[in-house]
């Protein structure tokens, strides 16, 4: 039976690498969530707008993003999109931390497309008569959505949005393909330097599992404390 030794990974440089990757993955998740949620709300409103052009724009965004693998998004924003820029700007980008920026853009757009459908489902779950009543009282479509429908819809949508946050946390691992220094990237560095593959990825598995269970617990706790009740 092989000898397992976790002590080398829990101290010194290896621990610093893993901690740095873990923190960066959390930061990437948080910042993506901060950017993706407002974008998702805007896209959901576009998909339900009275204007056909607005609905078409929202539909095009969701379908174009959701039907392309996240890996392709990552590679496009890292290798493809910079090629459209002037040479001096491209050189400046690659000299900086373009890996993190590309990962953030790809994750934000990808997550927003899925969240937009969750928000749209929440908006449609609110009885249509409430928006009609708001319009009858003189509110515009956006005003009725903002003050009447959206507050209720977001409460309905919280559980699926937390599930999307769980998916987002796991999807940050794909950023390793473009060299973003998240947890999986650092784990590969540790494994290569230490030759402790089982121990390294066991630690990483526990880290991913721990945060995933925490997010799942948040979803369960919210559902227990704030059961969904839509006004009729």
């Amino acid at each position: 039976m092989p000898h397992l030794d976790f002590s080398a990974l829990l101290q010194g440089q290896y621990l610093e690498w893993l901690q740095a990757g873990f923190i960066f993955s959390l930061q990437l998740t948080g910042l993506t969530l901060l950017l993706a949620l407002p974008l998702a709300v805007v896209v959901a409103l576009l998909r339900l707008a009275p204007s056909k052009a607005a609905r078409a724009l929202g539909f095009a965004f969701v379908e174009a993003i959701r039907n392309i693998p996240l890996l392709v998004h990552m590679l496009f924003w890292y290798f493809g999109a910079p090629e459209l820029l002037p040479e001096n700007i491209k050189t400046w980008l690659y000299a900086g931390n373009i890996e993190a920026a590309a990962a953030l853009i790809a994750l934000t757009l990808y997550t927003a497309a899925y969240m937009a459908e969750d928000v749209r489902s929440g908006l449609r779950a609110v009885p249509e008569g409430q928006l009609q009543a708001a319009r009858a009282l003189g509110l515009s479509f956006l005003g009725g959505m903002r003050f009447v429908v959206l507050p209720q819809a977001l409460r309905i949508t919280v559980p699926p949005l937390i599930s999307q946050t769980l998916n987002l946390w796991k999807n940050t691992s794909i950023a390793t393909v473009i060299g973003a220094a998240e947890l999986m990237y650092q784990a590969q560095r540790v494994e290569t330097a230490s030759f402790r593959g089982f121990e390294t990825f066991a630690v990483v598995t526990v880290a991913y599992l721990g945060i995933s269970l925490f997010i799942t617990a948040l979803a369960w706790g919210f559902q227990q404390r704030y059961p969904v009740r839509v006004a009729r």
Side-chain angles (χ1 to χ4, degrees):
M1 183 176 178
H3 174 67
L4 300 180
D5 183 11
F6 289 87
S7 61
L9 305 182
L10 301 178
Q11 59 185 342
Q13 187 178 43
Y14 297 153
L15 178 60
E16 292 176 3
W17 288 353
L18 292 174
Q19 286 178 333
F22 181 71
I23 292 171
F24 180 73
S25 291
L26 288 175
Q27 292 172 336
L28 189 57
T29 300
L31 189 54
T32 298
L33 188 61
L34 189 64
L35 297 174
L37 185 55
L39 179 58
V41 172
V42 171
V43 173
L45 292 176
L46 286 175
R47 296 211 62 185
L48 297 175
S51 167
K52 288 184 178 179
R55 292 199 302 271
L57 180 61
F59 176 82
F61 175 86
V62 170
E63 295 305 316
I65 298 296
R66 293 203 310 170
N67 287 293
I68 298 175
L70 178 56
L71 176 60
V72 177
H73 283 289
M74 290 280 184
L75 296 175
F76 171 79
W77 287 106
Y78 183 69
F79 292 109
E83 295 300 321
L84 303 176
L85 301 174
E87 190 65 30
N88 59 330
I89 297 179
K90 184 172 68 173
T91 302
W92 175 76
L93 285 174
Y94 280 112
N97 194 9
I98 189 176
E99 297 85 2
L104 179 62
I105 293 171
L107 285 169
T108 296
L109 295 177
Y110 192 80
T111 304
Y114 281 91
M115 284 186 167
E117 289 299 276
D118 291 332
V119 174
R120 184 169 72 101
S121 297
L123 291 171
R124 291 172 66 89
V126 178
E128 188 176 352
Q130 295 197 33
L131 180 60
Q132 294 173 347
R135 299 294 296 274
L137 291 173
L139 292 175
S140 64
F141 171 79
L142 289 178
M145 283 289 185
R146 177 184 176 187
F147 295 110
V148 179
V149 179
L150 194 56
Q152 299 177 74
L154 288 178
R155 183 168 179 174
I156 296 171
T157 311
V158 165
L161 289 181
I162 293 180
S163 295
Q164 291 298 343
T165 303
L166 175 60
N167 290 331
L168 168 61
W169 163 246
K170 293 182 291 184
N171 284 339
T172 58
S173 62
I174 300 179
T176 191
V177 300
I178 59 173
E182 43 71 58
L183 183 55
M184 276 300 299
Y185 177 88
Q186 299 289 14
Q188 291 172 351
R189 289 182 66 194
V190 172
E191 190 276 334
T192 301
S194 67
F195 299 101
R196 291 287 181 180
F198 178 86
E199 293 92 329
T200 299
F201 290 105
V203 171
V204 170
T205 298
V206 170
Y208 278 115
L209 181 61
I211 297 299
S212 296
L213 291 177
F214 175 73
I215 295 173
T216 302
L218 284 180
W220 182 85
F222 184 90
Q223 288 177 303
Q224 295 299 311
R225 185 173 179 83
Y226 303 104
V228 174
R229 297 186 181 91
V230 180
R232 298 293 176 184

